[in-house]
Amino acid sequence: MASRAPATAGRLVSSVRKWYYNKAGFNQLGLLRDDTWYEDADVKEAVRRLPERVSNDRIFRIKRALDLSMKHQILPKDQWTQYEQDEHYLMPYLDEVIRERKEKEEWMKK
């Protein structure tokens, strides 16, 4: 019985994550999770470092979501972003920016 507990808990957590992802609503506008970050200085720098294609795709998704929001519409269900398709395209750049900022702060303390 104890060997089944982690597998069951993992499926439960996965189910809750998928439910919450769909309830958040940004996927109904075609946005990815990383498109919804609050843009502080670190996020702005990470966005600036994105490759041109990824940056253009991000701008397109945000503009489309703004347009849909102003029209009080959502995308057809077949165009919603699926939980399995959502990728963290900004996280590697954001991690690098935060690491560099902390390193710079440490350097300035000395």
Side-chain angles (χ1 to χ4, degrees), residues 1-17:
M1 184 75 165
S3 63
R4 289 185 176 205
T8 304
R11 283 191 298 247
L12 178 64
V13 170
S14 178
S15 297
V16 170
R17 283 182 181 163

Side-chain angles (χ1 to χ4, degrees), residues 38-57:
Y38 174 75
E39 290 198 17
D40 61 2
D42 291 339
V43 173
K44 285 181 182 179
E45 178 61 25
V47 168
R48 189 187 68 74
R49 295 181 183 190
L50 288 173
E52 185 177 1
R53 183 192 60 78
V54 176
S55 180
N56 289 340
D57 291 346

Side-chain angles (χ1 to χ4, degrees), residues 37-51 55 58 89-101 104:
W37 281 77
Y38 174 75
E39 290 198 17
D40 61 2
D42 291 339
V43 173
K44 285 181 182 179
E45 178 61 25
V47 168
R48 189 187 68 74
R49 295 181 183 190
L50 288 173
S55 180
R58 179 179 191 273
Y89 68 90
L90 191 60
M91 287 306 297
Y93 298 96
L94 185 59
D95 291 341
E96 182 179 341
V97 167
I98 291 171
R99 183 186 53 76
E100 288 175 2
R101 179 180 46 82
K104 186 176 180 181

Side-chain angles (χ1 to χ4, degrees), residues 21 33 39 43 57 59 66 73 81 85 102:
Y21 184 86
R33 188 175 318 150
E39 290 198 17
V43 173
D57 291 346
I59 291 169
L66 287 171
Q73 297 177 349
T81 306
Q85 296 170 337
K102 287 181 180 180

